[in-house]
Amino acid sequence: ANITIAGNITGSSIVLSSFGGHTHIDGNLDIKRLYVANSVINLGTAKHDTSIVDEFDMSKGGQLDLTNGSKETFIVRDKSVISSSSVLCVDADRDGKITDKIVFGGKLVAPDAIINLEPGVSYNDVKRYSSDPKALLKFMDAFVKQANLKLAKYKVSTKFPKHIWYV
């Protein structure tokens, strides 16, 4: 399925579960639980907006895609469970600096202490990196170093990304 939801999803008892397909949410979340498995959720909040979930569970190759070219914040208040086969896609600038903010409150469970973060950059930067492998490696190195600095406080890390996404 390919589903698009236009608008915010708000409710202290709402549980949003995605078990397959691709869901585009053009708005922010303020919900009890977000579960993503074998699917992709694109969260396109307004510039500098915040999405909040009490519980976040991403497993079985689930993907939460925050890449939309603007800075946004994703906050998990209580508990997060993220499998090593799942991916969080975040916006990054051309120097590898992560522009989105992800906050894990409460307990974070990540098997093998690995969270897969993958960068999203402009299409022009993707073209530039495809013609300059040295610039690509410099970008990826900076991205991984910064991601690991941000993740260190949660006692998890990321590895070299498999993909670069364009926005």
Side-chain angles (χ1 to χ4, degrees):
N2 191 0
I3 300 168
T4 300
I5 300 169
N8 301 331
I9 301 173
T10 304
S12 60
S13 63
I14 293 177
V15 174
L16 180 60
S17 299
S18 178
F19 296 105
H22 203 134
T23 303
H24 304 271
I25 301 172
D26 295 324
N28 64 325
L29 302 176
D30 189 355
I31 60 175
K32 178 178 176 75
R33 185 169 192 248
L34 176 61
Y35 181 72
V36 185
N38 292 321
S39 61
V40 177
I41 291 185
N42 289 90
L43 189 55
T45 64
K47 191 172 187 175
H48 301 293
D49 210 349
T50 301
S51 284
I52 302 170
V53 298
D54 290 338
E55 299 171 24
F56 178 53
D57 190 336
M58 193 165 57
S59 63
K60 301 177 185 173
Q63 180 177 336
L64 179 63
D65 186 354
L66 302 175
T67 60
N68 62 3
S70 67
K71 298 176 184 180
E72 54 198 336
T73 303
F74 182 78
I75 298 173
V76 182
R77 286 187 185 116
D78 297 327
K79 183 180 178 183
S80 302
V81 178
I82 302 173
S83 76
S84 58
S85 64
S86 297
V87 177
L88 279 166
C89 300
V90 294
D91 287 300
D93 67 15
R94 66 180 353 195
D95 297 321
K97 181 181 177 196
I98 298 171
T99 58
D100 291 327
K101 182 177 179 182
I102 300 174
V103 178
F104 298 107
K107 185 177 181 179
L108 171 62
V109 177
D112 304 324
I114 297 289
I115 293 179
N116 295 311
L117 287 180
E118 294 183 346
V121 296
S122 72
Y123 181 71
N124 288 334
D125 285 337
V126 169
K127 289 190 324 186
R128 183 172 68 91
Y129 296 138
S130 68
S131 64
D132 187 354
K134 187 175 181 179
L136 172 63
L137 290 175
K138 184 178 177 183
F139 166 80
M140 294 297 270
D141 182 58
F143 176 81
V144 171
K145 283 179 182 175
Q146 195 206 29
N148 282 326
L149 282 173
K150 288 181 180 259
L151 292 172
K153 65 182 167 187
Y154 304 111
K155 298 182 181 161
V156 296
S157 62
T158 192
K159 54 189 176 184
F160 198 82
K162 292 181 182 179
H163 304 96
I164 294 180
W165 303 91
Y166 70 87
V167 295

